[in-house]
Amino acid sequence: MKYPVHEHGKFSVISLTGEVDLNCSPQAREQILKCLKKNNHLLIDLSAVEYIDSSGVASLVEGFQTARGQQLQFALLGVSKAALQVLQLARLDKVFPIYASIDDVDL
Amino acid sequence: MRNVSYINLDDHINAANIPLIPELARRFLELHGLETIDEQDVLSIEADYPQFFESLLNVINSDHFNLTSKVSSIYQAVQLAGFERICLLMICLVIYKTFGQYKIRGLDQQEFWEDSLRRAVSARMIGETIGLDGSRCFTAGLMQDIGFLLLFLLSPNKGALWAEFRKREPEARYSMERNVFNMTHDQASELFCERWGMLDEIARPICNHHSCNTAQLEFFDEQLCKVLHCADWMSAVYTALDKSFVINRCRQILTENFEMEPYRTEELLAAIPDEVDLTALVLGIKVKGHIEFSQILFQANIKLNEDNINFQELTMRLEQALDERDRLAAELNRDLGLAREIQKSLLPPLMDKKFPIVGINISARDLSGDFYDYFSLPDGRIYFNLGDVSGKGVNAALLMAKTSSLFRCLGKRIHDPGELMSQINIELCETSIHGMFVTMIAGLYCPKSGMLRMVNAGNPPALLFSPDGLARELDAQAPPLGVLSEAEFPEFELDLADQSLYMFSDGVTEGYVAENEMLEMSGLFKTIATMEAGLTPLQRIEKIVDRFNDSTVPFRDDVTLLLLEKQ
């Protein structure tokens, strides 16, 4: 699966969709790291995510850690209820910057 | 005739360079179409070119031409055999003599004419078998690839490729022509036929023998086209490298086009060498050598044997590869078995009944990403943990081993759960890879006082059940380990008293109890709350795991449970 990427201001926005599990998270990881390699600030749109497992969360964590190492912004956008539950349960909602919509992001 | 206007000539090919039709042939062809052939006209041409017409008369009077009686002039021959038949024979000789005078480096003209003769005799034999005029088939067969010679004539620098072309079967050669000359030989033949004003009944089949089924042709032309197409393949039997393939193709197309039995095809193929020798002698065309069809069959069998040997070799290699795969799989299984053993050794043994903690771990795969541990400190307090590494497989198992070892090693000197978690977190963040993280509940329990200090780092909440059935969730207060190096790990302290503390990985609440039905937190609550009295702690956590036995859905995630209560 190839996730769509578009540019918005200084950010690249990757939209993850459906089930981000052990099968799909390698592609998500690849696209996240590809954008960061280009030194792009990154927003991950999770509004269409129906399920995310720990491998999917690990892709986000790796993106987050890599972005921090490069002094780039990394945030989650419009996190779906299913994804938010997982993040909240693991207290990762306190780790990732989360925005309800693109309008809330300081572009 | 096909429209030639679309032909795209490359830099080397210039239609103006096509040899002009010799005067004698032009004059002879002009007679075609006249209602009656005037003897004086024929005699006039014959008188101007005595040498050529003498050799033509020799051919006409040979047994090969099969006239009912000998003739002494071309006009007589026309009277006996008809103008068209004599005209076609004249064209054959003129083309041979005209093109034969050109020397092209790399191209062996003798080989070309030998191949052309094979096509010609093949066409004549097929034609006679199906009731077409043999002479016309012969002439068309001799001329059908004249465009091929023309391509080399107009691009002499490509002569070195002749041998490569000759090894190929007709379709492969046709495709190579496109790449090398940007033109095919039937297209070149069109240029030739136009420039020479060739008889339409010969030109049409020559220019369409590679597109018999797509060109709009009259029945007779279409039949002749098919004859030429088959003759092309029959000739290739003697020159192409892959003889078994070409022979099979001949059998196939002769059956398809003319319902010819395969044995009959082989008879025609076998007759080609003698027919070529005879015709070459009559027409004065030099040929290189005589190859019997039996030799060709022998070579084809060798090729078949080679293919067979290649197939056997391929099979052998495949078997070797499968053996190697099995060997590697067995090796991997051995390694996995060893890893599983090592991993199990990282889990603590079941303690006696007085020990307040029991645990259970069921792996969804060979190796688990979940773990738990407990051990006593010299002062009698007990450290315990339950963790879950993100992801699955070997990498998760390795991180599990690392985290578990860090916990046991550092826990022996850091008697402060929050600080211990912080140190493990820093260590994991420093060596973080692929964003992998570990959710963990860790605590320090004092059996004497019943006091418990505990940290929940990103793990599902622990459930604290009191004897009256009331339950409380102890949510995570910190993110998982390995995510944020500066993260803080606040402890909460409570008096366990006679309460039971259930800790579990997310594989428990996400485990399936029926098709499309997960246990979830509510199901776990209910399972614990409704357990019959008198069960041991181990029996109780086994009861929870039993919930998954009714489901046909296999474990998707590791299932780990830990139960702490005062004994």
Side-chain angles (χ1 to χ4, degrees), chain B residues 187-239:
Chain B
Q187 290 173 327
S189 293
E190 281 186 22
L191 295 175
F192 165 77
C193 289
E194 291 221 337
R195 196 160 170 82
W196 276 41
M198 193 55 62
L199 305 178
D200 278 356
E201 47 268 50
I202 292 293
R204 276 193 300 270
I206 288 173
C207 299
N208 291 295
H209 70 280
H210 277 271
S211 50
C212 311
N213 299 320
T214 53
Q216 299 294 315
L217 298 170
E218 297 288 328
F219 176 75
F220 183 80
D221 288 338
E222 189 185 329
Q223 287 294 98
L224 186 48
C225 260
K226 288 178 178 173
V227 167
L228 299 187
H229 175 65
C230 293
D232 216 357
W233 279 89
M234 287 174 70
S235 170
V237 165
Y238 288 83
T239 53

Side-chain angles (χ1 to χ4, degrees), chain A residues 19 21-22 29 51-65 68 86 88-92 94-96, chain B residues 365 389-392 429 432 434-437 439 458-461 476-480 482-486 510 556:
Chain A
E19 299 197 350
D21 56 13
L22 210 56
R29 173 180 182 264
Y51 171 79
I52 186 164
D53 73 357
S54 62
S55 67
V57 176
S59 302
L60 299 179
V61 168
E62 187 176 11
F64 169 76
Q65 290 171 332
R68 266 173 39 121
V86 173
Q88 281 174 336
L89 194 68
R91 281 273 157 178
L92 284 167
K94 305 295 178 205
V95 175
F96 295 114
Chain B
R365 293 186 175 195
V389 179
S390 63
K392 290 177 177 63
C429 283
S432 165
H434 282 218
M436 290 175 73
F437 56 87
T439 67
N459 204 71
Q477 297 298 315
V483 176
L484 202 61
S485 58
E486 67 271 27
E510 291 177 8
R556 291 208 313 179

Side-chain angles (χ1 to χ4, degrees), chain B residues 236-280:
Chain B
V237 165
Y238 288 83
T239 53
L241 270 186
D242 192 345
K243 301 196 183 309
S244 54
F245 170 74
V246 180
I247 291 171
N248 279 329
R249 182 79 181 128
C250 285
R251 291 182 184 127
Q252 187 190 351
I253 57 176
L254 279 157
T255 304
E256 276 173 12
N257 289 313
F258 307 117
E259 296 176 350
M260 201 174 281
E261 294 284 346
Y263 82 89
R264 180 65 186 136
T265 299
E266 286 194 21
E267 281 178 0
L268 293 185
L269 284 170
I272 290 176
D274 287 345
E275 287 291 321
V276 167
D277 285 352
L278 194 63
T279 313

Side-chain angles (χ1 to χ4, degrees), chain B residues 282-482:
Chain B
V282 172
L283 293 181
I285 294 176
K286 287 180 186 166
V287 292
K288 281 197 124 178
H290 181 98
I291 308 170
E292 287 293 344
F293 184 58
S294 55
Q295 285 173 268
I296 297 293
L297 274 180
F298 180 69
Q299 288 174 27
N301 283 334
I302 287 174
K303 176 77 175 64
L304 277 176
N305 283 336
E306 278 172 3
D307 287 349
N308 195 24
I309 288 166
N310 286 340
F311 178 72
Q312 284 175 6
E313 196 178 318
L314 200 67
T315 310
M316 196 176 75
R317 281 189 196 161
L318 189 64
E319 279 169 1
Q320 281 172 346
L322 287 172
D323 287 347
E324 180 68 3
R325 186 202 63 176
D326 291 346
R327 190 186 64 76
L328 289 172
E331 207 169 275
L332 192 64
N333 271 334
R334 271 198 305 277
D335 288 349
L336 272 176
L338 193 61
R340 198 162 43 233
E341 215 170 293
I342 291 170
Q343 198 174 42
K344 281 207 179 298
S345 75
L346 295 174
L347 297 176
L350 184 64
M351 308 298 273
D352 64 36
K353 286 179 182 173
K354 289 179 186 166
F355 197 77
I357 306 175
V358 289
I360 194 168
N361 167 254
I362 295 165
S363 176
R365 293 186 175 195
D366 285 322
L367 298 174
S368 177
D370 283 6
F371 60 98
Y372 67 87
D373 195 9
Y374 41 73
F375 59 89
S376 299
L377 294 177
D379 61 8
R381 287 183 296 171
I382 299 167
Y383 245 137
F384 63 87
N385 73 0
L386 178 146
D388 180 0
V389 179
S390 63
K392 290 177 177 63
V394 175
N395 49 358
L398 288 171
L399 188 57
M400 170 264 171
K402 179 179 178 177
T403 312
S404 176
S405 303
L406 279 171
F407 180 84
R408 193 166 258 261
C409 181
L410 295 174
K412 284 176 181 164
R413 61 179 176 81
I414 304 173
H415 300 162
D416 182 344
E419 178 57 20
L420 174 59
M421 294 287 257
S422 184
Q423 289 301 319
I424 297 172
N425 177 53
I426 290 167
E427 188 64 35
L428 294 183
C429 283
E430 276 178 13
T431 53
S432 165
I433 183 166
H434 282 218
M436 290 175 73
F437 56 87
V438 184
T439 67
M440 192 198 282
I441 287 182
L444 190 58
Y445 173 65
C446 178
K448 287 178 201 162
S449 65
M451 291 305 290
L452 169 68
R453 292 166 63 193
M454 200 176 92
V455 177
N456 184 345
N459 204 71
L463 297 179
L464 193 61
F465 269 80
S466 61
D468 56 9
L470 289 176
R472 185 179 146 205
E473 288 184 31
L474 304 176
D475 290 327
Q477 297 298 315
L481 305 172

